[in-house]
Structures are given as C-alpha cells and as structure tokens.
Amino acid sequence: IKEQGDKVRAMKEAIKADPDSHTKEELNGEVQALLALKAKLEPPKEDTAVLEAKIKEQGDKVRAMKEAIKADPDSHTKEELNGEVQALLALKAKLEPPKEDTAVLEAKIKEQGDK
C-alpha cells in the first residue's frame, strides 16, 4: 500500500510540475489500484466505548425520528427511517457480545422470563 501510495503521490507531483506528464486515466488507474489494496485490509476494531457512543447517538436519532413521525406522519419517509434503523443495526453488529459465563447468562435469561 505504501509503495502504491508513493507512486500516486509522485504522479500527482509530476502533474503539478507538468500537466502533460501523465493522463487523467493513468492517474485514476493508479488511484484505483491503491484503493483496491486498501480494501483488502481488515478494518481496525473500534474501541468499545466509541462504538457504544455511536450506537447511543444513532439510537437517539432513530427515536427522535419515530417521535417526529408520531407528531407528523409526513415528517420523515419510511425509507428514511428504515435507513437509519439499518445504520443502527450495522453498528450493533460490530459490537462483540459480552464474554460472560454461560451460567450467568442462563440466570439472567431465567430472571427476565419470570418478569
């Protein structure tokens, strides 16, 4: 990635000095190659606290949209709301489940079932 990035930067510098040194297509091809290399990298794991903050923010946004729709059904479209809900679900999917002992989880499930 570093090598490809250096190549793209060198081409951009050459184009600044001499606009005819490389075609736009050549540069775009090298940029696309760089993006393809970057796409192969596994994204870094987000800090749990940061991810939880994003989930809370997105959840607040969804709740606010639902309240606005209750007050005025024309305030947001169903597609807008669904898009925000999907964004919330995607964030929640990134959050790893807490690592708890199976017995603790079973006790919590039983407690919730008794309510």
Side-chain angles (χ1 to χ4, degrees):
I1 291 175
K2 182 182 181 326
E3 189 176 304
Q4 187 65 27
D6 291 343
K7 187 174 183 179
V8 168
R9 281 187 285 284
M11 286 180 78
K12 286 182 176 183
E13 288 298 319
I15 291 171
K16 281 182 186 177
D18 178 14
D20 296 327
S21 62
H22 299 284
T23 67
K24 188 174 184 177
E25 290 77 22
E26 288 174 318
L27 178 60
N28 284 340
E30 296 301 327
V31 168
Q32 290 305 317
L34 176 60
L35 293 175
L37 289 171
K38 285 183 175 183
K40 290 180 183 178
L41 284 180
E42 182 179 321
K45 299 243 183 216
E46 287 189 68
D47 181 30
T48 302
V50 171
L51 190 54
E52 287 174 345
K54 287 180 180 180
I55 290 170
K56 182 183 180 323
E57 182 180 327
Q58 187 65 26
D60 291 345
K61 187 174 184 179
V62 168
R63 281 186 286 284
M65 285 180 77
K66 286 182 177 181
E67 288 298 319
I69 290 171
K70 282 183 186 177
D72 177 13
D74 295 328
S75 62
H76 299 285
T77 66
K78 188 173 184 174
E79 291 77 21
E80 287 174 323
L81 179 60
N82 285 340
E84 296 301 330
V85 168
Q86 291 305 315
L88 176 60
L89 293 174
L91 286 171
K92 285 184 174 183
K94 290 180 181 180
L95 190 62
E96 292 182 30
K99 295 181 173 116
E100 293 189 49
D101 183 29
T102 305
V104 173
L105 287 174
E106 287 174 359
K108 286 182 178 181
I109 291 169
K110 183 177 183 321
E111 181 183 323
Q112 287 179 352
D114 293 341
K115 290 183 179 178

